[in-house]
Amino acid sequence: MSTVLITGAGTGIGNLTARALARAGHRVYASMRDTASDRAEELRRLATDERIDLRPIVLDVQSEDSAQQAVDTILEETGDLNVVVQNAGHLATGYVEAFTAEDIAHLFDVNVLGAQRVNRAVLPHFRARRSGTLLYVGSTSVLDVPPFLGPYVASKAAFDVMAQATRYEVAPLGIESVIVMPGPFTRGTNHFPNASRASDAAVTEGYAELEPFVARNLQATNSLFPEGVDPDPVAVADEITRVLALPYGTRPFRTVVDFTRFSVDDINELSASHIRRAMHHMGYERLLTVAQS
């Protein structure tokens, strides 16, 4: 089994994934900003009670030093690191105009630069051993672009593009990449309850006539699900566990966990087909395949 580092594992999908992977036999480092918290203590108790290898570790994705220290600690304790699950992220809601440049910079710092800091800490190790898996928890929102989430979706789109571009450059070095794309989940995470709002209240007031649309956002999102379907985010953790159980080098580049009525897989396949054709004509096919040493 693998040694896995998960970012943003204090709550939500990251927390569920840490538990699922540890139960599947992986050695899991569940990272969060504060390992003296009740959330960290709960994971320690779970590890003891279930006799699984689940270890909270400090990692603040907004700090390059913190990311490097976390990776160094893992390598010192275990001698290896096989998988990084890039899950940490922050949600913000509001009208695009009401987000200041500083608001948007904060979102990109967490959701995009945070992953880059972690990648820069771990990739030297992966390159030296010529293997490793970068698994990114993305979002189907980059395809349908829902209203009132503009800067957040923009940050997730940048996160997705960075993951794609990095894949081209690391695959020939034996490093595989996977993007897991969850659809919307209206329960089971703190994503929406902990979301921040656009900070310019005066501009927000200028959009008061749209507030009825905002007020029914939860209802509108729930209307996307077929009748009788109650999406549970544990499905994302289960899918990550399934993907990592596949033989190294055979894992899909994209996989979707979506309970809505829409077929995101069709859009992904069309995009993948276009990318394959473009890479073929450019003579870059090798950049799509993990090199086997």
Side-chain angles (χ1 to χ4, degrees):
M1 288 296 176
S2 300
T3 298
V4 182
L5 168 64
I6 304 175
T7 65
T11 62
I13 288 172
N15 189 275
L16 293 170
T17 300
R19 295 165 185 252
L21 290 177
R23 286 167 175 154
H26 297 281
R27 178 191 294 120
V28 177
Y29 282 85
S31 81
M32 57 196 76
R33 286 179 293 182
D34 180 11
T35 54
S37 64
D38 291 341
R39 294 167 180 168
E41 185 56 33
E42 183 179 354
L43 292 182
R44 292 189 190 96
R45 285 197 302 269
L46 181 72
T48 300
D49 293 345
E50 298 191 12
R51 297 183 180 181
I52 55 179
D53 200 342
L54 179 54
R55 312 180 189 187
I57 189 171
V58 171
L59 197 165
D60 179 356
V61 297
Q62 292 184 270
S63 166
E64 185 171 341
D65 288 343
S66 179
Q68 188 63 61
Q69 184 173 347
V71 171
D72 289 345
T73 296
I74 294 169
L75 294 176
E76 288 169 8
E77 291 183 358
T78 71
D80 207 359
L81 177 58
N82 311 101
V83 179
V84 174
V85 178
Q86 296 273 20
N87 167 77
H90 181 67
L91 177 68
T93 64
Y95 308 108
V96 173
E97 185 191 348
F99 285 89
T100 65
E102 291 75 19
D103 292 338
I104 296 174
H106 173 71
L107 273 176
F108 273 71
D109 190 47
V110 175
N111 297 348
V112 185
L113 301 185
Q116 177 69 356
R117 292 182 184 106
V118 174
N119 273 356
R120 280 175 52 82
V122 74
L123 279 172
H125 172 67
F126 282 3
R127 286 190 284 106
R129 69 196 298 272
R130 297 192 70 84
S131 69
T133 300
L134 300 172
L135 190 149
Y136 304 85
V137 180
S139 175
T140 61
S141 68
V142 301
L143 300 177
D144 51 52
V145 190
F148 316 124
L149 297 173
Y152 166 76
V153 175
S155 71
K156 293 303 287 186
F159 173 87
D160 190 290
V161 170
M162 289 283 282
Q164 291 185 64
T166 302
R167 172 204 184 190
Y168 301 148
E169 297 161 8
V170 301
L173 307 180
I175 302 162
E176 66 180 359
S177 302
V178 178
I179 300 177
V180 177
M181 300 178 71
F185 290 92
T186 54
R187 68 172 185 86
T189 77
N190 290 326
H191 212 36
F192 279 92
N194 288 346
S196 58
R197 294 295 301 265
S199 66
D200 193 326
V203 171
T204 296
E205 181 61 29
Y207 287 86
E209 64 189 87
L210 298 185
E211 281 301 310
F213 291 100
V214 178
R216 64 180 297 271
N217 187 54
L218 179 62
Q219 176 187 350
T221 302
N222 281 330
S223 72
L224 298 174
F225 306 122
E227 187 176 352
V229 170
D230 184 17
D232 188 332
V234 74
V236 182
D238 290 343
E239 177 63 3
I240 292 172
T241 304
R242 183 194 72 82
V243 167
L244 293 182
L246 297 173
Y248 181 78
T250 70
R251 296 161 185 163
F253 176 55
R254 287 191 187 273
T255 181
V256 176
V257 185
D258 185 21
F259 291 88
T260 69
R261 307 167 190 268
F262 307 107
S263 181
V264 173
D265 287 315
D266 290 345
I267 301 172
N268 283 337
E269 180 50 42
L270 181 62
S271 175
S273 177
H274 169 74
I275 289 171
R276 286 193 297 268
R277 289 198 304 272
M279 297 293 269
H280 171 75
H281 285 294
M282 296 173 73
Y284 287 163
E285 298 97 324
R286 178 171 171 243
L287 303 185
L288 296 174
T289 304
V290 177
Q292 298 295 312
S293 57

